[in-house]
Each structure stands twice: as C-alpha cells, then as structure tokens.
Amino acid sequence: AQSVTQLDSQVPVFEEAPVELRCNYSSSVSVYLFWYVQYPNQGLQLLLKYLSGSTLVESINGFEAEFNKSQTSFHLRKPSVHISDTAEYFCAVSGSDTGFQKLVFGTGTRLLVSP
Amino acid sequence: DGGITQSPKYLFRKEGQNVTLSCEQNLNHDAMYWYRQDPGQGLRLIYYSQIVNDFQKGDIAEGYSVSREKKESFPLTVTSAQKNPTAFYLCATHPTGVTEAFFGQGTRLTVV
C-alpha cells in the first residue's frame, strides 16, 4: 500500500516570491506521482505528473516538481508566485499493485499568496 | 458538453435521512470513484467501480452504498448509518490506459 505525507498544511508567501510545497511518499512498488490543484468549492485539476523518464516535470503555468527516488519525495516548486496561485494543492500516488488505478492523496497544502 | 456532472452542488438534509448524490459522465471512462473531503484530511476513498455491475469498498465505506448499473452513472447514497456525513463529496473517473483521474465539481452535503 502507498501513503503520502504533506507536512505543511498551510504555506503563506508574498507575491513574486518562490515557493516549495513538500511531498513525501512511501511505497514498496513502482509508483506514479501527481500534483492536483483545487480552487474553493471546486473539484481537483491535474497540475503535473511523473510517470517515468526525466525526474523534473513542468506544468504550463510555471510549476515544476522533481521526483527523487532516494528521498521518496516529489516536491512542488514555483520560482515566482502570483495571487491567482492561491489554492489547495494535493500530492497523490498510484502504485503498480493496483494497476495504477487507485489514487492515494496527501492531506493537502493550502498556498496563500498575499500582495 | 463533455465531462463529469455532480448534482446538486449543495445539499441539505436532516439527520437520519438517507440522501443520494448523483455522478454522471459522458467521457466513456471505465472506472469511477467517490471521495470524501474534510478539512485537513485530504481526500479519502469511499467506493470505486472499474466496470458496470461491479464495485469495491474504499477506505471509508461504512455508512455509504453505491450502484453501477450503467457505465455513465455511479450514484452514492449516504445512509443514516454514516455518523458524520457533513462533507464535500467528489466523484472522479479514470479511463483505462490513462494515468490520471478526472474530477467533477463536487457536492457539499450538510446534515442538520
């Protein structure tokens, strides 16, 4: 079975500052890793994913995440945040033991960007 | 318009009443899921179904029931046995051979 830990429940940051949202996972099988974003009272939208290959993955809106197998981490970063990035971010993992069909989520990190 | 439709967006019920949340999709995705979201707890899997007429319990199935009579529909019933039903409920689909899940807009259930 897999599990995901997001240690930071809330991360306050000023506009145009860099940010890192931390995610660690545990699994005994091969995994896929995901970051989803949720705006208030809405569903989740996929931000980016790691399946295989290059350990650095990027989204279209400037976020990136790096898969680190030795540290079992998949931290999300952005060099300069905008007010519109204020949202809740969820890290998720799926494993080969479920055919990559079952997602396990972390508890989420609320990113608060202020002017 | 293609997508996943959850209805209603807001739902109020009295304690002790059963209530059914709707999830419909026209994406032709095989697998469908129900998650419950509570503040600070992330998303927890209630039930999932990978094919019609078959479904499995997730991590917190007690007090909930589902059916999958059609590929397009996966309704969730919150029964009176669910001790703390007030939450945000999310339906998701997962097409075969695709790595990520797709989510509906959610239903916020408040039991008073």
Side-chain angles (χ1 to χ4, degrees), chain B residues 8-100:
Chain B
K9 191 168 178 64
Y10 298 95
L11 189 54
F12 295 87
R13 278 295 182 270
K14 291 185 177 179
E15 192 172 343
Q17 289 182 335
N18 291 356
V19 60
T20 297
L21 282 60
S22 170
C23 179
E24 302 281 331
Q25 56 111 349
N26 60 4
L27 302 170
N28 200 35
H29 292 175
D30 296 307
M32 297 186 73
Y33 303 76
W34 275 105
Y35 292 91
R36 170 181 171 138
Q37 185 178 11
D38 297 281
Q41 296 193 50
L43 278 72
R44 293 180 290 169
L45 184 62
I46 305 173
Y47 269 97
Y48 63 106
S49 166
Q50 294 183 308
I51 56 172
V52 174
N53 292 323
D54 187 43
F55 48 83
Q56 288 79 42
K57 292 182 179 180
D59 302 316
I60 55 165
E62 186 176 349
Y64 299 97
S65 66
V66 293
S67 63
R68 186 86 187 275
E69 297 177 2
K70 300 185 300 182
K71 189 174 186 178
E72 301 79 18
S73 179
F74 191 42
L76 173 74
T77 297
V78 184
T79 75
S80 56
Q82 169 51 234
K83 297 304 178 189
N84 186 19
T86 294
F88 191 52
Y89 290 87
L90 286 160
C91 176
T93 67
H94 196 158
T96 302
V98 175
T99 54
E100 67 264 25

